[in-house]
Amino acid sequence: MAKLKSEKNSASEEEKRPVSLSKQDKRTINQIDSMAEEVCKVAQRHKEPLVAIPTRSLSNIRFNQSRRILEMGNKRTNRELFNVGQAKSFMQTMLVASGTKQLIEMGKTTSIRGLYYMLKHDIKPTKEPTFHDQGECDPIIEDCEVLLDSLREELHLFADKRGDMVGNLIIEDNGDEIDCSRMGSGGYAIPSIVEPNVIKFKKCTAKFVLHVEKNTVWQRFNEDKFWKKHNCILTHGAGQPTRGVRRLLNRIHHELKLPIFCLLDNDPWGYYIYSVIKQGSINLAYESQRMAIPDACFVGVRSHDFERCGLSESVKISLNDTDRKRAKQIMEYPWFARKKDWQKEIELMLKNGFKLEVEALISRNISYMTEEYVPMLLKEGKFLD
Amino acid sequence: MAKLKSEKNSASEEEKRPVSLSKQDKRTINQIDSMAEEVCKVAQRHKEPLVAIPTRSLSNIRFNQSRRILEMGNKRTNRELFNVGQAKSFMQTMLVASGTKQLIEMGKTTSIRGLYYMLKHDIKPTKEPTFHDQGECDPIIEDCEVLLDSLREELHLFADKRGDMVGNLIIEDNGDEIDCSRMGSGGYAIPSIVEPNVIKFKKCTAKFVLHVEKNTVWQRFNEDKFWKKHNCILTHGAGQPTRGVRRLLNRIHHELKLPIFCLLDNDPWGYYIYSVIKQGSINLAYESQRMAIPDACFVGVRSHDFERCGLSESVKISLNDTDRKRAKQIMEYPWFARKKDWQKEIELMLKNGFKLEVEALISRNISYMTEEYVPMLLKEGKFLD
């Protein structure tokens, strides 16, 4: 059986071609180099090599009331090479940092699974693998993000991509000009890395973004050309939006100065999605300043909509114990706890005893949500903050 | 609190605008009307109204050796109005058929969840709902598909959309021209309905389609501009491809005469994905003739690739009991059972005792799969059929 070996002068030559690094790439490489130099310096002074990693646990996360985003505090934990309990993770940290540096220098990106495969090998002459499984690699990647003050995307790592966009916006993606108002029924698939070196905004006439929870709802709004009639951009995240979608919304909001309106289910999961878009995620608080959109608004579905929109009895979905528990937890999040309107909103859902999906509006008529409901809400302009 | 009512003359006028029906839409409406007329005729003759629904159970499915697709047999089951056990599902069948007719006449589409909400109401004066939950509605939709010999998409129903496309193909999607060779890093998001009235092929210079399993692998191939170097179209289905992706591949294969090459994991799930793309799905056998691609080829990952590509020990993932059981089931599928190469392939995986993901190739180098592995396989041209 023929072995599949490199053809001479094909791929290898390609790889030798010097890659022109963006400003951002240079900064990231600097971060990695400084960290490595620091470790070496300590070793040369015959001290124990270590890195001080910002603590990612809940105890080191706080809600910054003035910036209105989740932030990490200043706590750090030392990770030492000459410590039996930390030696492995110390070495893994160096390995991940070095792997991402390689990626940046090659001008390539990969998934976190790809990086795991790139770095996984047995440490010879032992049979000890660098990582037993991906579950061992992923937290180290997150450690490197905080240690190097670099988003995963800046380390050339991408996540799964989900979520599409249409609307009055022209972008440039890797040199290709894409007119999001000419994307048919399918739409432009939002990539996982949407940093300025990949995605550039060329022309935007839209006045706001409508972000909807599900792709089926997005399809309804796109089919009814809502974005054309109301001069906006229409996005969805197929549930909890990916980092790519959140980062893109963040950039559109800050760079193009467009408000972000969210149309989500009237249930604890919808509230949670809103919370992540607006304030950031508790697990990944360090990325909030690049991802969170504290001025995002919740347009619906609202707890009073069942009555207000005259929906039929049959669209109610009874709350279960998990829903009630989750709703109460969310009410206590600091950024919801101080807002009377949100307290009332969630209390009313609990009092109703049922939740409502966006699709429940279809029971009025198929285009009620696109032609009556959202237009009326936009006209009124009374959103939940 | 203001009630959100229809603004006069806005949405309603829009809805009154006559929708121009495509040839396909007219055919589907004819199918629905004929079915309804048949039911009425029987009733007028004072006989019991019924519909004879093609049986969708495994007992009525066979593998057509000459067409090489899964097909339904001729068995039908009567569903009668005056039968206590069938009255409800009879009425639900009529309701779904009538709902889809409304959709077609309005020129709108919706998700199966949307249709459920459209049709759900209490049957007055009782409090009996038309459907208790979506689980009651979905099989009726499938019944209507076989009863009316119309794909779900022809009934104006869409599924979740997943999967993206780039490559040397220009399409028209709802009147918008989309050049899939100018779609940047994100790609064109494949819609759920890709029938000829929505998607038209304008220009294709590509010579084949490479369909990969995961979007992270797709991103690697897109970033390396594989489709440009090898003049092809690149698609993924984010796992098991959706109906939209399968139907699009089917149309590209039959209308543009391009071969479909699949790059999937070397594991039972990868085999199963291939089986569905090629022969159709057992659950939805009636759609095979519009979705299946009997000439699709499996290019990799192959069971001998661990040795052949010199992969490192650490990329092996041990088979578990479920894998072994599933692999044996798949070996017995009629379309695998008669193929010696496939029997050998699966036997070798079982003998190896491990499975391999496409990403395992990254352990050679990050672009090994795009710059060496697939190009070598294409050159050799020895694919699994």
Side-chain angles (χ1 to χ4, degrees):
Chain A
M1 187 172 55
K3 288 225 174 194
L4 296 180
K5 286 213 176 143
S6 312
E7 284 185 304
K8 266 186 192 168
N9 303 325
S10 73
S12 41
E13 244 182 28
E14 184 110 6
E15 269 160 31
K16 274 180 217 148
R17 212 192 293 151
V19 170
S20 71
L21 296 177
S22 72
K23 213 171 136 184
Q24 198 179 67
D25 285 338
K26 284 179 191 157
R27 176 194 168 274
T28 316
I29 285 191
N30 267 339
Q31 298 282 94
I32 299 172
D33 286 347
S34 310
M35 186 272 291
E37 278 162 19
E38 196 54 42
V39 170
C40 293
K41 261 190 224 161
V42 170
Q44 279 158 350
R45 276 189 257 125
H46 299 281
K47 292 198 172 157
E48 298 193 0
L50 60 83
V51 281
I53 296 181
T55 311
R56 289 189 290 107
S57 71
L58 199 59
S59 67
N60 194 33
I61 287 164
R62 64 185 196 113
F63 179 61
N64 182 324
Q65 290 287 358
S66 65
R67 297 183 67 198
R68 294 176 297 146
I69 59 172
L70 281 164
E71 277 184 346
M72 286 183 74
N74 298 319
K75 278 190 213 162
R76 287 179 174 254
T77 317
N78 282 350
R79 182 168 292 171
E80 302 168 0
L81 177 58
F82 299 139
N83 178 321
V84 178
Q86 295 171 4
K88 187 170 183 186
S89 58
F90 178 91
M91 290 189 287
Q92 288 171 332
T93 309
M94 296 301 122
L95 195 60
V96 165
S98 135
T100 58
K101 191 183 169 192
Q102 280 176 49
L103 284 174
I104 300 170
E105 286 177 339
M106 284 190 288
K108 305 217 171 187
T109 63
T110 192
S111 61
I112 53 175
R113 186 139 193 88
L115 185 72
Y116 160 71
Y117 273 118
M118 242 177 85
L119 302 176
K120 186 168 182 169
H121 62 264
D122 292 344
I123 304 167
K124 291 188 179 149
T126 75
K127 289 207 160 183
E128 187 67 22
T130 49
F131 300 97
H132 277 284
D133 53 35
Q134 203 185 334
E136 236 183 287
C137 185
D138 289 352
I140 302 284
I141 294 175
E142 293 178 2
D143 288 341
C144 283
E145 290 183 70
V146 290
L147 179 63
L148 301 168
D149 185 25
S150 301
L151 286 182
R152 190 173 305 183
E153 290 74 14
E154 294 172 325
L155 297 171
H156 281 216
L157 296 175
F158 56 70
D160 254 17
K161 67 202 269 294
R162 279 198 314 270
D164 307 306
M165 175 163 75
V166 282
N168 288 324
L169 172 67
I170 297 174
I171 60 166
E172 195 185 287
D173 173 349
N174 259 333
D176 291 338
E177 190 170 288
I178 292 164
D179 182 346
C180 296
S181 71
R182 305 272 307 152
M183 289 306 300
S185 62
Y188 166 68
I190 300 171
S192 11
I193 301 187
V194 297
E195 296 306 310
N197 57 331
V198 181
I199 305 286
K200 292 177 177 64
F201 299 130
K202 303 303 281 184
K203 191 182 170 193
C204 176
T205 54
K207 297 300 176 207
F208 65 93
V209 176
L210 181 70
H211 176 79
V212 303
E213 186 171 333
K214 287 166 242 182
N215 79 40
T216 47
V217 172
W218 182 90
Q219 292 184 62
R220 174 82 264 126
F221 277 86
N222 188 29
E223 190 172 294
D224 288 342
K225 293 274 179 272
F226 178 90
W227 54 268
K228 198 175 259 180
K229 290 182 198 157
H230 295 274
N231 190 18
C232 70
I233 295 167
L234 181 66
T235 59
H236 78 88
Q240 179 65 264
T242 57
R243 295 167 62 104
V245 171
R246 288 172 55 206
R247 177 75 176 127
L248 186 67
L249 290 176
N250 174 293
R251 285 194 58 209
I252 291 176
H253 177 69
H254 286 105
E255 296 171 35
L256 303 175
K257 311 290 176 209
L258 300 194
I260 310 291
F261 299 142
C262 303
L263 179 67
L264 309 166
D265 288 347
N266 170 237
D267 64 16
W269 182 238
Y271 303 153
Y272 184 67
I273 290 179
Y274 178 65
S275 169
V276 170
I277 292 177
K278 194 173 172 82
Q279 259 80 42
S281 116
I282 296 171
N283 293 332
L284 301 169
Y286 57 92
E287 42 166 53
S288 295
Q289 54 182 329
R290 309 284 289 276
M291 301 258 183
I293 309 162
D295 285 321
C297 296
F298 185 97
V299 299
V301 174
R302 299 286 301 273
S303 301
H304 57 222
D305 281 341
F306 176 78
E307 197 188 90
R308 190 185 205 204
C309 304
L311 300 181
S312 94
E313 199 65 29
S314 57
V315 302
K316 292 177 176 177
I317 303 175
S318 298
L319 295 178
N320 58 33
D321 288 345
T322 317
D323 291 328
R324 273 183 287 266
K325 198 179 143 195
R326 198 75 193 90
K328 282 171 193 163
Q329 280 171 351
I330 289 173
M331 283 177 86
E332 285 167 17
Y333 284 174
W335 46 101
F336 282 125
R338 298 196 178 196
K339 288 183 181 159
K340 277 188 194 161
D341 287 348
W342 264 109
Q343 294 292 313
K344 271 192 207 164
E345 178 69 18
I346 303 179
E347 269 163 17
L348 182 55
M349 182 197 65
L350 287 168
K351 200 183 135 206
N352 284 343
F354 59 82
K355 48 189 180 179
L356 292 171
E357 293 186 306
V358 175
E359 290 96 324
L361 299 166
I362 291 177
S363 71
R364 278 290 304 268
N365 75 57
I366 183 145
S367 291
Y368 177 73
M369 62 172 91
T370 64
E371 291 172 354
E372 301 183 54
Y373 180 75
V374 174
M376 281 297 287
L377 297 180
L378 292 176
K379 212 170 163 186
E380 283 187 359
K382 288 181 199 153
F383 311 131
L384 274 178
D385 176 33
Chain B
M1 186 171 55
K3 286 228 175 192
L4 295 181
K5 285 210 178 142
S6 312
E7 284 187 304
K8 267 185 192 167
N9 303 326
S10 73
S12 39
E13 245 182 26
E14 185 110 6
E15 270 161 31
K16 274 179 219 148
R17 213 191 293 153
V19 170
S20 71
L21 296 178
S22 72
K23 212 171 137 186
Q24 197 179 67
D25 286 337
K26 284 180 193 159
R27 176 193 167 275
T28 316
I29 286 190
N30 267 340
Q31 298 281 95
I32 300 173
D33 286 347
S34 311
M35 185 271 291
E37 278 162 20
E38 195 53 43
V39 170
C40 293
K41 262 190 223 164
V42 170
Q44 280 158 350
R45 275 188 256 125
H46 300 282
K47 293 200 171 156
E48 299 195 359
L50 60 82
V51 281
I53 297 181
T55 310
R56 289 190 290 106
S57 71
L58 199 59
S59 67
N60 193 32
I61 288 164
R62 62 182 198 115
F63 179 62
N64 181 324
Q65 292 285 358
S66 65
R67 296 183 66 198
R68 293 176 297 144
I69 59 172
L70 282 165
E71 277 184 346
M72 287 182 73
N74 298 321
K75 278 190 214 163
R76 288 178 172 253
T77 318
N78 282 351
R79 182 168 291 172
E80 301 167 2
L81 177 59
F82 299 139
N83 176 320
V84 178
Q86 296 171 2
K88 188 169 182 186
S89 59
F90 178 90
M91 290 189 285
Q92 288 171 332
T93 310
M94 296 300 122
L95 195 60
V96 166
S98 134
T100 57
K101 191 183 170 193
Q102 278 176 51
L103 284 173
I104 300 171
E105 286 176 340
M106 284 190 289
K108 304 218 172 189
T109 63
T110 192
S111 61
I112 52 174
R113 185 142 194 88
L115 184 73
Y116 160 71
Y117 272 118
M118 243 178 84
L119 301 178
K120 186 169 181 168
H121 62 264
D122 292 345
I123 303 165
K124 287 181 182 153
T126 74
K127 289 209 160 182
E128 186 68 24
T130 48
F131 301 97
H132 276 285
D133 54 35
Q134 202 185 333
E136 235 182 290
C137 185
D138 289 354
I140 302 284
I141 293 175
E142 294 179 0
D143 288 340
C144 283
E145 291 183 69
V146 289
L147 180 63
L148 302 167
D149 185 25
S150 301
L151 285 183
R152 190 173 305 183
E153 290 73 15
E154 294 172 326
L155 296 171
H156 281 217
L157 295 174
F158 55 71
D160 255 17
K161 68 202 266 296
R162 277 198 316 272
D164 307 307
M165 175 164 75
V166 282
N168 289 324
L169 172 67
I170 298 174
I171 59 165
E172 195 184 287
D173 173 350
N174 260 333
D176 292 339
E177 190 169 289
I178 292 165
D179 183 345
C180 295
S181 72
R182 304 274 307 153
M183 289 306 300
S185 62
Y188 165 68
I190 300 171
S192 11
I193 301 187
V194 297
E195 296 306 310
N197 57 331
V198 181
I199 305 286
K200 291 177 178 64
F201 300 129
K202 302 304 281 184
K203 191 182 169 192
C204 176
T205 55
K207 298 297 176 208
F208 65 93
V209 177
L210 182 70
H211 176 80
V212 302
E213 185 171 333
K214 288 168 239 181
N215 79 40
T216 47
V217 172
W218 182 92
Q219 292 184 63
R220 175 81 265 125
F221 276 86
N222 188 28
E223 192 172 294
D224 287 342
K225 293 274 180 272
F226 178 90
W227 54 268
K228 198 175 261 181
K229 290 180 200 157
H230 295 273
N231 190 19
C232 70
I233 294 168
L234 181 66
T235 58
H236 78 87
Q240 180 65 265
T242 57
R243 296 166 60 103
V245 172
R246 288 173 54 207
R247 177 76 175 126
L248 186 67
L249 290 176
N250 175 293
R251 286 194 57 208
I252 292 176
H253 177 69
H254 286 105
E255 297 172 34
L256 303 176
K257 312 290 175 207
L258 300 194
I260 311 291
F261 299 142
C262 303
L263 179 67
L264 309 165
D265 287 347
N266 170 236
D267 65 15
W269 181 238
Y271 303 153
Y272 184 67
I273 290 178
Y274 178 65
S275 169
V276 170
I277 292 176
K278 194 173 171 82
Q279 260 80 43
S281 115
I282 295 171
N283 293 331
L284 302 169
Y286 58 92
E287 41 166 55
S288 296
Q289 53 182 332
R290 308 285 288 276
M291 300 257 184
I293 309 163
D295 285 322
C297 296
F298 186 96
V299 299
V301 176
R302 297 287 301 271
S303 301
H304 57 221
D305 281 341
F306 176 78
E307 197 189 88
R308 188 184 207 207
C309 304
L311 301 180
S312 93
E313 200 64 30
S314 57
V315 303
K316 292 178 177 177
I317 303 175
S318 298
L319 294 179
N320 59 33
D321 288 344
T322 318
D323 291 328
R324 273 182 287 266
K325 196 178 144 198
R326 199 75 192 89
K328 282 171 193 162
Q329 280 172 351
I330 289 173
M331 283 176 86
E332 285 166 15
Y333 283 175
W335 47 102
F336 282 124
R338 299 196 178 196
K339 289 182 181 160
K340 277 189 192 162
D341 288 347
W342 265 109
Q343 294 292 313
K344 271 192 206 166
E345 178 69 19
I346 303 179
E347 267 163 19
L348 182 55
M349 183 196 66
L350 288 167
K351 199 183 138 207
N352 284 342
F354 59 82
K355 47 190 180 179
L356 292 171
E357 293 186 307
V358 176
E359 291 96 324
L361 299 166
I362 291 177
S363 71
R364 277 290 303 269
N365 75 58
I366 183 144
S367 292
Y368 178 73
M369 63 174 90
T370 64
E371 292 172 353
E372 301 182 53
Y373 180 74
V374 175
M376 280 297 285
L377 297 181
L378 292 175
K379 213 170 160 186
E380 284 187 356
K382 288 182 200 152
F383 312 131
L384 274 179
D385 175 34

